[in-house]
Amino acid sequence: MTITAATALIGRALSAGAIDRETAIRAQAAIRASYYGSRMSNANRAQLLALRFGLVEA
């Protein structure tokens, strides 16, 4: 999942009321963070959103 797709997913969840503003801010920061010192892969980004925030693509 690209950063663009992840951002859209977070935005949709926020608009739908599935997450609050603070959770959206934390999710945005998390998808841009490094993953053990390396750039996060698309697969790792999708897994992070699913496991940490409960956000999955429909």
Side-chain angles (χ1 to χ4, degrees):
M1 174 180 294
T2 65
I3 288 178
T4 303
T7 298
L9 178 62
I10 293 165
R12 287 192 305 272
L14 180 62
S15 294
I19 59 174
D20 61 14
R21 184 177 179 276
E22 286 74 29
T23 301
I25 291 168
R26 287 194 316 271
Q28 285 290 341
I31 63 170
R32 288 172 170 78
S34 63
Y35 187 70
Y36 297 107
S38 302
R39 231 182 125 175
M40 192 178 299
S41 71
N42 290 345
N44 288 338
R45 193 173 293 111
Q47 184 178 28
L48 172 102
L49 286 176
L51 297 176
R52 189 167 171 196
F53 299 101
L55 302 175
V56 293
E57 289 183 301

mmCIF file of all heavy atoms in Angstrom:
data_model
loop_
_atom_site.group_PDB
_atom_site.id
_atom_site.type_symbol
_atom_site.label_atom_id
_atom_site.label_comp_id
_atom_site.label_asym_id
_atom_site.label_seq_id
_atom_site.Cartn_x
_atom_site.Cartn_y
_atom_site.Cartn_z
ATOM 1 N N MET A 1 0.856 -1.164 0.000
ATOM 2 C CA MET A 1 0.000 0.000 0.000
ATOM 3 C C MET A 1 0.909 1.236 0.000
ATOM 4 O O MET A 1 1.724 1.401 0.892
ATOM 5 C CB MET A 1 -0.889 -0.020 1.241
ATOM 6 C CG MET A 1 -1.711 1.219 1.412
ATOM 7 S SD MET A 1 -2.756 1.166 2.886
ATOM 8 C CE MET A 1 -3.871 -0.141 2.471
ATOM 9 N N THR A 2 0.738 2.056 -0.991
ATOM 10 C CA THR A 2 1.533 3.280 -1.086
ATOM 11 C C THR A 2 1.100 4.284 -0.026
ATOM 12 O O THR A 2 0.023 4.147 0.571
ATOM 13 C CB THR A 2 1.378 3.925 -2.473
ATOM 14 O OG1 THR A 2 0.014 4.348 -2.625
ATOM 15 C CG2 THR A 2 1.765 2.972 -3.591
ATOM 16 N N ILE A 3 1.924 5.286 0.192
ATOM 17 C CA ILE A 3 1.562 6.334 1.154
ATOM 18 C C ILE A 3 0.284 7.037 0.707
ATOM 19 O O ILE A 3 -0.584 7.347 1.523
ATOM 20 C CB ILE A 3 2.723 7.329 1.335
ATOM 21 C CG1 ILE A 3 3.854 6.662 2.111
ATOM 22 C CG2 ILE A 3 2.263 8.587 2.056
ATOM 23 C CD1 ILE A 3 5.081 7.511 2.311
ATOM 24 N N THR A 4 0.140 7.242 -0.599
ATOM 25 C CA THR A 4 -1.061 7.893 -1.128
ATOM 26 C C THR A 4 -2.312 7.067 -0.828
ATOM 27 O O THR A 4 -3.330 7.597 -0.366
ATOM 28 C CB THR A 4 -0.929 8.118 -2.642
ATOM 29 O OG1 THR A 4 0.250 8.894 -2.881
ATOM 30 C CG2 THR A 4 -2.141 8.831 -3.206
ATOM 31 N N ALA A 5 -2.234 5.764 -1.070
ATOM 32 C CA ALA A 5 -3.377 4.883 -0.802
ATOM 33 C C ALA A 5 -3.665 4.801 0.691
ATOM 34 O O ALA A 5 -4.827 4.807 1.112
ATOM 35 C CB ALA A 5 -3.114 3.495 -1.367
ATOM 36 N N ALA A 6 -2.619 4.744 1.500
ATOM 37 C CA ALA A 6 -2.798 4.684 2.952
ATOM 38 C C ALA A 6 -3.426 5.969 3.477
ATOM 39 O O ALA A 6 -4.316 5.927 4.327
ATOM 40 C CB ALA A 6 -1.451 4.435 3.630
ATOM 41 N N THR A 7 -2.993 7.102 2.951
ATOM 42 C CA THR A 7 -3.567 8.386 3.348
ATOM 43 C C THR A 7 -5.047 8.451 2.991
ATOM 44 O O THR A 7 -5.869 8.925 3.791
ATOM 45 C CB THR A 7 -2.795 9.539 2.678
ATOM 46 O OG1 THR A 7 -1.438 9.498 3.131
ATOM 47 C CG2 THR A 7 -3.395 10.887 3.019
ATOM 48 N N ALA A 8 -5.396 7.971 1.819
ATOM 49 C CA ALA A 8 -6.805 7.951 1.402
ATOM 50 C C ALA A 8 -7.629 7.048 2.319
ATOM 51 O O ALA A 8 -8.751 7.392 2.700
ATOM 52 C CB ALA A 8 -6.918 7.504 -0.043
ATOM 53 N N LEU A 9 -7.072 5.885 2.670
ATOM 54 C CA LEU A 9 -7.768 4.957 3.560
ATOM 55 C C LEU A 9 -8.001 5.594 4.932
ATOM 56 O O LEU A 9 -9.100 5.504 5.491
ATOM 57 C CB LEU A 9 -6.954 3.667 3.706
ATOM 58 C CG LEU A 9 -7.511 2.597 4.635
ATOM 59 C CD1 LEU A 9 -8.868 2.101 4.139
ATOM 60 C CD2 LEU A 9 -6.528 1.450 4.748
ATOM 61 N N ILE A 10 -6.998 6.266 5.450
ATOM 62 C CA ILE A 10 -7.133 6.952 6.740
ATOM 63 C C ILE A 10 -8.188 8.048 6.639
ATOM 64 O O ILE A 10 -9.033 8.200 7.523
ATOM 65 C CB ILE A 10 -5.776 7.518 7.193
ATOM 66 C CG1 ILE A 10 -4.809 6.373 7.507
ATOM 67 C CG2 ILE A 10 -5.940 8.435 8.399
ATOM 68 C CD1 ILE A 10 -3.355 6.794 7.623
ATOM 69 N N GLY A 11 -8.168 8.800 5.554
ATOM 70 C CA GLY A 11 -9.153 9.861 5.349
ATOM 71 C C GLY A 11 -10.576 9.339 5.279
ATOM 72 O O GLY A 11 -11.493 9.925 5.861
ATOM 73 N N ARG A 12 -10.759 8.228 4.574
ATOM 74 C CA ARG A 12 -12.099 7.627 4.492
ATOM 75 C C ARG A 12 -12.570 7.142 5.854
ATOM 76 O O ARG A 12 -13.734 7.316 6.218
ATOM 77 C CB ARG A 12 -12.111 6.476 3.483
ATOM 78 C CG ARG A 12 -12.049 6.932 2.044
ATOM 79 C CD ARG A 12 -12.353 5.804 1.063
ATOM 80 N NE ARG A 12 -11.498 4.637 1.230
ATOM 81 C CZ ARG A 12 -10.312 4.458 0.638
ATOM 82 N NH1 ARG A 12 -9.837 5.393 -0.170
ATOM 83 N NH2 ARG A 12 -9.618 3.360 0.828
ATOM 84 N N ALA A 13 -11.677 6.534 6.617
ATOM 85 C CA ALA A 13 -12.049 6.049 7.955
ATOM 86 C C ALA A 13 -12.402 7.210 8.868
ATOM 87 O O ALA A 13 -13.360 7.135 9.648
ATOM 88 C CB ALA A 13 -10.906 5.223 8.546
ATOM 89 N N LEU A 14 -11.659 8.298 8.768
ATOM 90 C CA LEU A 14 -11.954 9.485 9.576
ATOM 91 C C LEU A 14 -13.301 10.083 9.186
ATOM 92 O O LEU A 14 -14.127 10.396 10.046
ATOM 93 C CB LEU A 14 -10.838 10.520 9.403
ATOM 94 C CG LEU A 14 -10.987 11.821 10.178
ATOM 95 C CD1 LEU A 14 -11.008 11.565 11.679
ATOM 96 C CD2 LEU A 14 -9.845 12.771 9.818
ATOM 97 N N SER A 15 -13.557 10.197 7.897
ATOM 98 C CA SER A 15 -14.830 10.749 7.414
ATOM 99 C C SER A 15 -16.019 9.896 7.824
ATOM 100 O O SER A 15 -17.095 10.413 8.108
ATOM 101 C CB SER A 15 -14.803 10.873 5.892
ATOM 102 O OG SER A 15 -13.854 11.819 5.499
ATOM 103 N N ALA A 16 -15.812 8.581 7.845
ATOM 104 C CA ALA A 16 -16.894 7.659 8.203
ATOM 105 C C ALA A 16 -17.100 7.567 9.709
ATOM 106 O O ALA A 16 -18.054 6.944 10.170
ATOM 107 C CB ALA A 16 -16.596 6.274 7.630
ATOM 108 N N GLY A 17 -16.196 8.159 10.471
ATOM 109 C CA GLY A 17 -16.322 8.095 11.925
ATOM 110 C C GLY A 17 -15.747 6.834 12.535
ATOM 111 O O GLY A 17 -15.942 6.567 13.718
ATOM 112 N N ALA A 18 -15.019 6.051 11.737
ATOM 113 C CA ALA A 18 -14.438 4.808 12.244
ATOM 114 C C ALA A 18 -13.253 5.073 13.173
ATOM 115 O O ALA A 18 -12.962 4.258 14.050
ATOM 116 C CB ALA A 18 -13.993 3.922 11.082
ATOM 117 N N ILE A 19 -12.577 6.207 12.967
ATOM 118 C CA ILE A 19 -11.473 6.608 13.835
ATOM 119 C C ILE A 19 -11.643 8.086 14.174
ATOM 120 O O ILE A 19 -12.309 8.819 13.451
ATOM 121 C CB ILE A 19 -10.087 6.365 13.182
ATOM 122 C CG1 ILE A 19 -9.946 7.137 11.869
ATOM 123 C CG2 ILE A 19 -9.823 4.880 12.990
ATOM 124 C CD1 ILE A 19 -8.560 7.058 11.241
ATOM 125 N N ASP A 20 -11.026 8.492 15.279
ATOM 126 C CA ASP A 20 -11.096 9.908 15.646
ATOM 127 C C ASP A 20 -9.895 10.658 15.071
ATOM 128 O O ASP A 20 -9.006 10.068 14.473
ATOM 129 C CB ASP A 20 -11.208 10.078 17.158
ATOM 130 C CG ASP A 20 -10.015 9.521 17.921
ATOM 131 O OD1 ASP A 20 -8.970 9.236 17.314
ATOM 132 O OD2 ASP A 20 -10.141 9.366 19.148
ATOM 133 N N ARG A 21 -9.890 11.962 15.262
ATOM 134 C CA ARG A 21 -8.845 12.815 14.678
ATOM 135 C C ARG A 21 -7.458 12.460 15.203
ATOM 136 O O ARG A 21 -6.501 12.411 14.454
ATOM 137 C CB ARG A 21 -9.170 14.280 14.976
ATOM 138 C CG ARG A 21 -8.210 15.252 14.351
ATOM 139 C CD ARG A 21 -8.644 16.697 14.623
ATOM 140 N NE ARG A 21 -7.710 17.634 14.041
ATOM 141 C CZ ARG A 21 -6.590 18.035 14.624
ATOM 142 N NH1 ARG A 21 -6.281 17.571 15.820
ATOM 143 N NH2 ARG A 21 -5.785 18.888 14.030
ATOM 144 N N GLU A 22 -7.348 12.194 16.499
ATOM 145 C CA GLU A 22 -6.058 11.863 17.093
ATOM 146 C C GLU A 22 -5.518 10.552 16.539
ATOM 147 O O GLU A 22 -4.322 10.418 16.285
ATOM 148 C CB GLU A 22 -6.165 11.790 18.624
ATOM 149 C CG GLU A 22 -6.277 13.152 19.282
ATOM 150 C CD GLU A 22 -7.653 13.795 19.088
ATOM 151 O OE1 GLU A 22 -8.649 13.066 18.956
ATOM 152 O OE2 GLU A 22 -7.717 15.035 19.065
ATOM 153 N N THR A 23 -6.397 9.578 16.334
ATOM 154 C CA THR A 23 -5.976 8.301 15.751
ATOM 155 C C THR A 23 -5.523 8.507 14.313
ATOM 156 O O THR A 23 -4.533 7.915 13.879
ATOM 157 C CB THR A 23 -7.122 7.270 15.814
ATOM 158 O OG1 THR A 23 -7.495 7.100 17.185
ATOM 159 C CG2 THR A 23 -6.708 5.933 15.231
ATOM 160 N N ALA A 24 -6.215 9.347 13.569
ATOM 161 C CA ALA A 24 -5.820 9.642 12.192
ATOM 162 C C ALA A 24 -4.441 10.292 12.150
ATOM 163 O O ALA A 24 -3.619 9.948 11.291
ATOM 164 C CB ALA A 24 -6.859 10.544 11.529
ATOM 165 N N ILE A 25 -4.179 11.189 13.076
ATOM 166 C CA ILE A 25 -2.867 11.838 13.136
ATOM 167 C C ILE A 25 -1.781 10.809 13.447
ATOM 168 O O ILE A 25 -0.714 10.805 12.822
ATOM 169 C CB ILE A 25 -2.875 12.979 14.174
ATOM 170 C CG1 ILE A 25 -3.759 14.122 13.669
ATOM 171 C CG2 ILE A 25 -1.468 13.475 14.474
ATOM 172 C CD1 ILE A 25 -4.072 15.171 14.717
ATOM 173 N N ARG A 26 -2.038 9.929 14.402
ATOM 174 C CA ARG A 26 -1.057 8.881 14.736
ATOM 175 C C ARG A 26 -0.839 7.936 13.564
ATOM 176 O O ARG A 26 0.290 7.527 13.294
ATOM 177 C CB ARG A 26 -1.517 8.099 15.967
ATOM 178 C CG ARG A 26 -1.393 8.875 17.259
ATOM 179 C CD ARG A 26 -1.525 7.998 18.493
ATOM 180 N NE ARG A 26 -2.607 7.026 18.444
ATOM 181 C CZ ARG A 26 -3.864 7.269 18.851
ATOM 182 N NH1 ARG A 26 -4.186 8.446 19.312
ATOM 183 N NH2 ARG A 26 -4.764 6.320 18.789
ATOM 184 N N ALA A 27 -1.906 7.589 12.851
ATOM 185 C CA ALA A 27 -1.784 6.693 11.697
ATOM 186 C C ALA A 27 -0.972 7.354 10.587
ATOM 187 O O ALA A 27 -0.124 6.713 9.956
ATOM 188 C CB ALA A 27 -3.166 6.299 11.187
ATOM 189 N N GLN A 28 -1.206 8.645 10.350
ATOM 190 C CA GLN A 28 -0.442 9.372 9.331
ATOM 191 C C GLN A 28 1.045 9.374 9.676
ATOM 192 O O GLN A 28 1.891 9.180 8.808
ATOM 193 C CB GLN A 28 -0.945 10.812 9.197
ATOM 194 C CG GLN A 28 -2.244 10.955 8.468
ATOM 195 C CD GLN A 28 -2.115 10.667 6.983
ATOM 196 O OE1 GLN A 28 -1.044 10.681 6.404
ATOM 197 N NE2 GLN A 28 -3.235 10.393 6.359
ATOM 198 N N ALA A 29 1.365 9.609 10.929
ATOM 199 C CA ALA A 29 2.767 9.601 11.351
ATOM 200 C C ALA A 29 3.369 8.211 11.206
ATOM 201 O O ALA A 29 4.511 8.058 10.769
ATOM 202 C CB ALA A 29 2.873 10.086 12.789
ATOM 203 N N ALA A 30 2.601 7.195 11.551
ATOM 204 C CA ALA A 30 3.104 5.825 11.499
ATOM 205 C C ALA A 30 3.415 5.374 10.072
ATOM 206 O O ALA A 30 4.410 4.681 9.849
ATOM 207 C CB ALA A 30 2.095 4.873 12.139
ATOM 208 N N ILE A 31 2.586 5.753 9.097
ATOM 209 C CA ILE A 31 2.830 5.280 7.734
ATOM 210 C C ILE A 31 4.030 5.956 7.092
ATOM 211 O O ILE A 31 4.560 5.475 6.093
ATOM 212 C CB ILE A 31 1.592 5.446 6.816
ATOM 213 C CG1 ILE A 31 1.220 6.916 6.640
ATOM 214 C CG2 ILE A 31 0.428 4.609 7.321
ATOM 215 C CD1 ILE A 31 0.175 7.182 5.572
ATOM 216 N N ARG A 32 4.485 7.045 7.677
ATOM 217 C CA ARG A 32 5.650 7.761 7.142
ATOM 218 C C ARG A 32 6.931 7.458 7.914
ATOM 219 O O ARG A 32 8.004 7.902 7.543
ATOM 220 C CB ARG A 32 5.392 9.266 7.147
ATOM 221 C CG ARG A 32 4.391 9.669 6.107
ATOM 222 C CD ARG A 32 3.979 11.123 6.243
ATOM 223 N NE ARG A 32 3.188 11.552 5.094
ATOM 224 C CZ ARG A 32 1.923 11.283 4.899
ATOM 225 N NH1 ARG A 32 1.270 10.557 5.780
ATOM 226 N NH2 ARG A 32 1.284 11.718 3.839
ATOM 227 N N ALA A 33 6.815 6.699 8.982
ATOM 228 C CA ALA A 33 7.970 6.406 9.837
ATOM 229 C C ALA A 33 8.883 5.379 9.172
ATOM 230 O O ALA A 33 8.480 4.646 8.270
ATOM 231 C CB ALA A 33 7.486 5.874 11.183
ATOM 232 N N SER A 34 10.100 5.344 9.667
ATOM 233 C CA SER A 34 11.021 4.317 9.174
ATOM 234 C C SER A 34 10.713 3.002 9.873
ATOM 235 O O SER A 34 10.129 2.965 10.960
ATOM 236 C CB SER A 34 12.471 4.727 9.418
ATOM 237 O OG SER A 34 12.727 4.840 10.799
ATOM 238 N N TYR A 35 11.085 1.922 9.243
ATOM 239 C CA TYR A 35 10.822 0.585 9.744
ATOM 240 C C TYR A 35 12.172 -0.051 10.026
ATOM 241 O O TYR A 35 12.857 -0.484 9.104
ATOM 242 C CB TYR A 35 10.026 -0.198 8.704
ATOM 243 C CG TYR A 35 9.545 -1.550 9.141
ATOM 244 C CD1 TYR A 35 8.548 -1.668 10.094
ATOM 245 C CD2 TYR A 35 10.070 -2.705 8.591
ATOM 246 C CE1 TYR A 35 8.093 -2.900 10.484
ATOM 247 C CE2 TYR A 35 9.616 -3.950 8.975
ATOM 248 C CZ TYR A 35 8.629 -4.037 9.927
ATOM 249 O OH TYR A 35 8.179 -5.276 10.314
ATOM 250 N N TYR A 36 12.595 -0.058 11.271
ATOM 251 C CA TYR A 36 13.919 -0.544 11.667
ATOM 252 C C TYR A 36 15.017 0.142 10.868
ATOM 253 O O TYR A 36 15.945 -0.488 10.381
ATOM 254 C CB TYR A 36 14.004 -2.061 11.519
ATOM 255 C CG TYR A 36 13.053 -2.799 12.427
ATOM 256 C CD1 TYR A 36 11.919 -3.409 11.923
ATOM 257 C CD2 TYR A 36 13.281 -2.857 13.801
ATOM 258 C CE1 TYR A 36 11.037 -4.073 12.766
ATOM 259 C CE2 TYR A 36 12.410 -3.513 14.630
ATOM 260 C CZ TYR A 36 11.296 -4.123 14.110
ATOM 261 O OH TYR A 36 10.434 -4.781 14.951
ATOM 262 N N GLY A 37 14.912 1.456 10.716
ATOM 263 C CA GLY A 37 15.932 2.228 10.052
ATOM 264 C C GLY A 37 15.843 2.265 8.537
ATOM 265 O O GLY A 37 16.612 2.937 7.880
ATOM 266 N N SER A 38 14.901 1.540 7.964
ATOM 267 C CA SER A 38 14.722 1.511 6.516
ATOM 268 C C SER A 38 13.356 2.072 6.156
ATOM 269 O O SER A 38 12.453 2.118 6.994
ATOM 270 C CB SER A 38 14.812 0.077 5.988
ATOM 271 O OG SER A 38 16.041 -0.498 6.319
ATOM 272 N N ARG A 39 13.227 2.464 4.914
ATOM 273 C CA ARG A 39 11.912 2.908 4.451
ATOM 274 C C ARG A 39 10.918 1.761 4.520
ATOM 275 O O ARG A 39 11.263 0.625 4.216
ATOM 276 C CB ARG A 39 12.048 3.354 2.995
ATOM 277 C CG ARG A 39 11.464 4.712 2.785
ATOM 278 C CD ARG A 39 11.562 5.117 1.363
ATOM 279 N NE ARG A 39 10.210 5.449 0.989
ATOM 280 C CZ ARG A 39 9.845 5.934 -0.151
ATOM 281 N NH1 ARG A 39 10.721 6.125 -1.075
ATOM 282 N NH2 ARG A 39 8.611 6.230 -0.378
ATOM 283 N N MET A 40 9.722 2.050 4.927
ATOM 284 C CA MET A 40 8.695 1.019 5.067
ATOM 285 C C MET A 40 8.224 0.565 3.692
ATOM 286 O O MET A 40 7.975 1.378 2.814
ATOM 287 C CB MET A 40 7.523 1.586 5.871
ATOM 288 C CG MET A 40 6.543 0.554 6.331
ATOM 289 S SD MET A 40 5.206 1.240 7.326
ATOM 290 C CE MET A 40 6.087 1.919 8.709
ATOM 291 N N SER A 41 8.088 -0.751 3.512
ATOM 292 C CA SER A 41 7.582 -1.279 2.244
ATOM 293 C C SER A 41 6.066 -1.120 2.191
ATOM 294 O O SER A 41 5.409 -0.895 3.212
ATOM 295 C CB SER A 41 7.950 -2.755 2.083
ATOM 296 O OG SER A 41 7.194 -3.552 2.975
ATOM 297 N N ASN A 42 5.522 -1.265 1.007
ATOM 298 C CA ASN A 42 4.064 -1.162 0.846
ATOM 299 C C ASN A 42 3.352 -2.237 1.657
ATOM 300 O O ASN A 42 2.321 -1.972 2.276
ATOM 301 C CB ASN A 42 3.687 -1.256 -0.628
ATOM 302 C CG ASN A 42 4.112 -0.030 -1.399
ATOM 303 O OD1 ASN A 42 4.431 1.000 -0.822
ATOM 304 N ND2 ASN A 42 4.134 -0.135 -2.710
ATOM 305 N N ALA A 43 3.902 -3.442 1.666
ATOM 306 C CA ALA A 43 3.283 -4.539 2.419
ATOM 307 C C ALA A 43 3.334 -4.262 3.921
ATOM 308 O O ALA A 43 2.351 -4.495 4.639
ATOM 309 C CB ALA A 43 3.973 -5.857 2.107
ATOM 310 N N ASN A 44 4.470 -3.752 4.399
ATOM 311 C CA ASN A 44 4.592 -3.431 5.820
ATOM 312 C C ASN A 44 3.639 -2.315 6.222
ATOM 313 O O ASN A 44 3.076 -2.329 7.311
ATOM 314 C CB ASN A 44 6.025 -3.021 6.164
ATOM 315 C CG ASN A 44 6.980 -4.189 6.144
ATOM 316 O OD1 ASN A 44 6.588 -5.335 6.265
ATOM 317 N ND2 ASN A 44 8.247 -3.886 5.969
ATOM 318 N N ARG A 45 3.454 -1.351 5.332
ATOM 319 C CA ARG A 45 2.541 -0.231 5.615
ATOM 320 C C ARG A 45 1.109 -0.743 5.751
ATOM 321 O O ARG A 45 0.379 -0.354 6.665
ATOM 322 C CB ARG A 45 2.654 0.808 4.503
ATOM 323 C CG ARG A 45 2.012 2.122 4.825
ATOM 324 C CD ARG A 45 2.312 3.169 3.760
ATOM 325 N NE ARG A 45 3.720 3.528 3.757
ATOM 326 C CZ ARG A 45 4.577 3.228 2.777
ATOM 327 N NH1 ARG A 45 4.176 2.609 1.707
ATOM 328 N NH2 ARG A 45 5.839 3.583 2.866
ATOM 329 N N ALA A 46 0.688 -1.607 4.846
ATOM 330 C CA ALA A 46 -0.668 -2.172 4.911
ATOM 331 C C ALA A 46 -0.849 -2.997 6.177
ATOM 332 O O ALA A 46 -1.895 -2.915 6.842
ATOM 333 C CB ALA A 46 -0.935 -3.026 3.668
ATOM 334 N N GLN A 47 0.173 -3.761 6.535
ATOM 335 C CA GLN A 47 0.106 -4.578 7.744
ATOM 336 C C GLN A 47 0.034 -3.699 8.996
ATOM 337 O O GLN A 47 -0.742 -3.967 9.909
ATOM 338 C CB GLN A 47 1.309 -5.506 7.823
ATOM 339 C CG GLN A 47 1.268 -6.455 8.990
ATOM 340 C CD GLN A 47 2.452 -7.398 8.999
ATOM 341 O OE1 GLN A 47 3.520 -7.073 8.492
ATOM 342 N NE2 GLN A 47 2.264 -8.566 9.566
ATOM 343 N N LEU A 48 0.799 -2.645 9.030
ATOM 344 C CA LEU A 48 0.773 -1.722 10.159
ATOM 345 C C LEU A 48 -0.610 -1.118 10.351
ATOM 346 O O LEU A 48 -1.140 -1.091 11.460
ATOM 347 C CB LEU A 48 1.799 -0.600 9.950
ATOM 348 C CG LEU A 48 1.721 0.527 10.965
ATOM 349 C CD1 LEU A 48 2.823 0.371 12.000
ATOM 350 C CD2 LEU A 48 1.800 1.857 10.289
ATOM 351 N N LEU A 49 -1.216 -0.652 9.259
ATOM 352 C CA LEU A 49 -2.553 -0.057 9.368
ATOM 353 C C LEU A 49 -3.584 -1.081 9.833
ATOM 354 O O LEU A 49 -4.468 -0.765 10.630
ATOM 355 C CB LEU A 49 -2.973 0.558 8.036
ATOM 356 C CG LEU A 49 -2.297 1.868 7.664
ATOM 357 C CD1 LEU A 49 -2.733 2.312 6.279
ATOM 358 C CD2 LEU A 49 -2.594 2.942 8.686
ATOM 359 N N ALA A 50 -3.461 -2.307 9.344
ATOM 360 C CA ALA A 50 -4.423 -3.352 9.729
ATOM 361 C C ALA A 50 -4.264 -3.749 11.185
ATOM 362 O O ALA A 50 -5.253 -3.814 11.934
ATOM 363 C CB ALA A 50 -4.260 -4.565 8.824
ATOM 364 N N LEU A 51 -3.030 -3.994 11.610
ATOM 365 C CA LEU A 51 -2.814 -4.505 12.957
ATOM 366 C C LEU A 51 -2.901 -3.430 14.036
ATOM 367 O O LEU A 51 -3.488 -3.649 15.091
ATOM 368 C CB LEU A 51 -1.459 -5.216 13.044
ATOM 369 C CG LEU A 51 -1.314 -6.453 12.175
ATOM 370 C CD1 LEU A 51 0.105 -7.001 12.272
ATOM 371 C CD2 LEU A 51 -2.321 -7.518 12.592
ATOM 372 N N ARG A 52 -2.334 -2.276 13.774
ATOM 373 C CA ARG A 52 -2.265 -1.240 14.805
ATOM 374 C C ARG A 52 -3.519 -0.376 14.871
ATOM 375 O O ARG A 52 -3.932 0.057 15.941
ATOM 376 C CB ARG A 52 -1.050 -0.367 14.554
ATOM 377 C CG ARG A 52 -0.763 0.587 15.661
ATOM 378 C CD ARG A 52 0.606 1.194 15.510
ATOM 379 N NE ARG A 52 0.800 2.266 16.454
ATOM 380 C CZ ARG A 52 1.751 3.164 16.369
ATOM 381 N NH1 ARG A 52 2.621 3.100 15.397
ATOM 382 N NH2 ARG A 52 1.856 4.100 17.253
ATOM 383 N N PHE A 53 -4.134 -0.143 13.707
ATOM 384 C CA PHE A 53 -5.272 0.774 13.672
ATOM 385 C C PHE A 53 -6.576 0.129 13.205
ATOM 386 O O PHE A 53 -7.609 0.779 13.171
ATOM 387 C CB PHE A 53 -4.930 1.982 12.777
ATOM 388 C CG PHE A 53 -3.755 2.768 13.274
ATOM 389 C CD1 PHE A 53 -2.502 2.614 12.699
ATOM 390 C CD2 PHE A 53 -3.887 3.642 14.334
ATOM 391 C CE1 PHE A 53 -1.408 3.325 13.159
ATOM 392 C CE2 PHE A 53 -2.795 4.362 14.824
ATOM 393 C CZ PHE A 53 -1.555 4.193 14.225
ATOM 394 N N GLY A 54 -6.545 -1.116 12.767
ATOM 395 C CA GLY A 54 -7.748 -1.812 12.334
ATOM 396 C C GLY A 54 -8.282 -1.326 10.994
ATOM 397 O O GLY A 54 -9.468 -1.471 10.711
ATOM 398 N N LEU A 55 -7.409 -0.742 10.162
ATOM 399 C CA LEU A 55 -7.830 -0.197 8.866
ATOM 400 C C LEU A 55 -7.374 -1.126 7.756
ATOM 401 O O LEU A 55 -6.186 -1.401 7.617
ATOM 402 C CB LEU A 55 -7.234 1.197 8.645
ATOM 403 C CG LEU A 55 -7.584 2.242 9.699
ATOM 404 C CD1 LEU A 55 -6.832 3.527 9.424
ATOM 405 C CD2 LEU A 55 -9.070 2.487 9.735
ATOM 406 N N VAL A 56 -8.328 -1.596 6.961
ATOM 407 C CA VAL A 56 -8.005 -2.468 5.829
ATOM 408 C C VAL A 56 -8.745 -1.957 4.591
ATOM 409 O O VAL A 56 -9.806 -1.356 4.698
ATOM 410 C CB VAL A 56 -8.373 -3.935 6.084
ATOM 411 C CG1 VAL A 56 -7.504 -4.533 7.186
ATOM 412 C CG2 VAL A 56 -9.828 -4.085 6.454
ATOM 413 N N GLU A 57 -8.151 -2.217 3.437
ATOM 414 C CA GLU A 57 -8.813 -1.843 2.187
ATOM 415 C C GLU A 57 -10.004 -2.755 1.948
ATOM 416 O O GLU A 57 -9.930 -3.952 2.186
ATOM 417 C CB GLU A 57 -7.846 -1.946 1.008
ATOM 418 C CG GLU A 57 -6.796 -0.876 1.015
ATOM 419 C CD GLU A 57 -5.895 -0.959 -0.187
ATOM 420 O OE1 GLU A 57 -5.255 -1.997 -0.362
ATOM 421 O OE2 GLU A 57 -5.860 0.018 -0.947
ATOM 422 N N ALA A 58 -11.087 -2.181 1.488
ATOM 423 C CA ALA A 58 -12.300 -2.965 1.238
ATOM 424 C C ALA A 58 -12.232 -3.669 -0.088
ATOM 425 O O ALA A 58 -11.551 -3.364 -0.975
ATOM 426 C CB ALA A 58 -13.517 -2.059 1.263
#
